[in-house]
Amino acid sequence: MSRNTRYTLLTLVKGLAALEALEAVDGGLTLTELARRLKESQTVVFRVLKTLEEHGYVRHDSVSRRYTLGLRIWELGARVVGRTGLVEAARPVLKWLTTVTGQTSGLVVLRGTDVLYLDIRDGQEALRFYVEPGARAPAYGTASGKVMLAWHPERVAQVVKAGLRRLTPTTIVGAADLRRELQEIRRAGVAINRGERQPDLAAVAAPLFDAQGECVAAVGIAPEGEPHGVMAHCGSSAAGPSSISKRCARTARSASFSREQ
């Protein structure tokens, strides 16, 4: 949670908190539910919501009486993503990964202790991993998240403090174990997820660097299936870990990105 200063507009803070609360819940919230979550009076929350609704940031369903995010949020988000340069620079890599493997590939960045999916290239397989751009996941439970943490050790303490919750039997839940894994990822240049977020989901990811050599994102493939079998396939294919890393390096040399905070 951000610290309030003498420059902070508390009403704006309440509006942003309302937007974040609505984003976290599928199907929206009623005025009563949102006020309870924000620990504010319904009168205050109602005024905040009406202001946001008037500007397109919130929608209100008169039948269900629920509030949801409006399309204005999507418009701003789409413009921000487009202006980073990351999506356009990484798309050739995603296209190559999906073409070679037939599997879904994705571009992600770090946001706090999570990964944020910026772009997805759907695979051709009948059964495939599905995630929408804008979705988030715990960084420690994904290949893309781990590969970025390996190049951002200053973020690891924050992730550990937030808690390493067991998502599957193979999830890394020990701080020392996570740090050892990240050291190995840094040495190898790629990260592997062995069913650590979903039992039937494996993934391989490699970092993307900006012109200054800083890791600003990660790309990877996330096919469904038995993790060890998938990794054996990837290791022998044209989209094996070393190939992903080399292709990402070529992309980084031919493009510059703005840093994702």
Side-chain angles (χ1 to χ4, degrees):
M1 182 177 295
S2 61
R3 181 174 60 87
N4 292 337
T5 70
R6 64 192 181 95
Y7 302 108
T8 301
L9 294 174
L10 294 182
T11 301
L12 179 56
V13 170
K14 293 174 183 177
L16 294 173
L19 292 175
E20 291 181 352
L22 292 174
E23 184 273 333
V25 179
D26 291 333
L29 295 167
T30 65
L31 173 61
T32 302
E33 292 169 338
L34 185 55
R36 187 181 302 119
R37 283 174 178 257
L38 299 180
K39 298 180 181 179
E40 296 282 354
S41 71
Q42 292 190 34
T43 300
V44 170
V45 175
F46 178 77
R47 293 173 63 186
V48 167
L49 288 171
K50 292 310 274 186
T51 301
L52 293 171
E53 185 181 5
E54 289 171 2
H55 292 272
Y57 293 94
V58 163
R59 294 191 305 168
H60 180 239
D61 188 313
S62 59
V63 176
S64 67
R65 300 173 65 183
R66 291 184 174 274
Y67 291 88
T68 57
L69 295 181
L71 287 177
R72 183 61 178 152
I73 295 289
W74 176 83
E75 290 179 297
L76 293 180
R79 289 176 184 174
V80 170
V81 170
R83 289 170 183 170
T84 64
L86 279 170
V87 173
E88 288 303 317
R91 272 184 177 155
V93 177
L94 299 187
K95 181 180 179 181
W96 169 74
L97 281 171
T98 296
T99 299
V100 170
T101 67
Q103 305 290 350
T104 298
S105 60
L107 169 71
V108 307
V109 294
L110 272 179
R111 289 290 290 168
T113 60
D114 293 340
V115 293
L116 174 68
Y117 291 85
L118 292 186
D119 198 19
I120 301 295
R121 182 112 182 165
D122 288 332
Q124 293 95 35
E125 300 291 333
L127 294 176
R128 59 181 182 268
F129 173 65
Y130 178 76
V131 64
E132 292 182 343
R136 297 171 74 135
Y140 69 92
T142 67
S144 296
K146 290 191 298 181
V147 84
M148 284 186 286
L149 289 175
W151 267 268
H152 286 284
E154 75 281 0
R155 300 279 195 101
V156 178
Q158 182 184 1
V159 170
V160 171
K161 184 178 180 180
L164 304 176
R165 185 167 59 90
R166 187 174 295 282
L167 307 174
T168 74
T170 59
T171 303
I172 299 174
V173 294
D177 292 334
L178 177 61
R179 289 189 170 94
R180 279 194 293 270
E181 172 87 352
L182 298 180
Q183 289 176 354
E184 175 59 25
I185 291 169
R186 186 71 179 253
R187 185 195 66 77
V190 293
I192 295 173
N193 182 325
R194 301 173 178 85
E196 295 155 45
R197 181 185 169 203
Q198 297 178 22
D200 59 348
L201 182 66
V204 185
L208 274 176
F209 301 94
D210 63 13
Q212 288 71 47
E214 182 170 358
C215 176
V216 292
V219 297
I221 54 172
E224 286 193 301
E226 197 276 319
H228 299 293
V230 172
M231 298 322 306
H233 166 73
C234 287
S236 61
S237 75
S242 61
S243 296
I244 295 175
S245 185
K246 291 175 183 177
R247 183 63 64 104
C248 288
R250 288 199 294 272
T251 298
R253 287 195 296 268
S254 62
S256 61
F257 325 120
S258 61
R259 182 181 176 184
E260 175 68 26
Q261 300 295 331

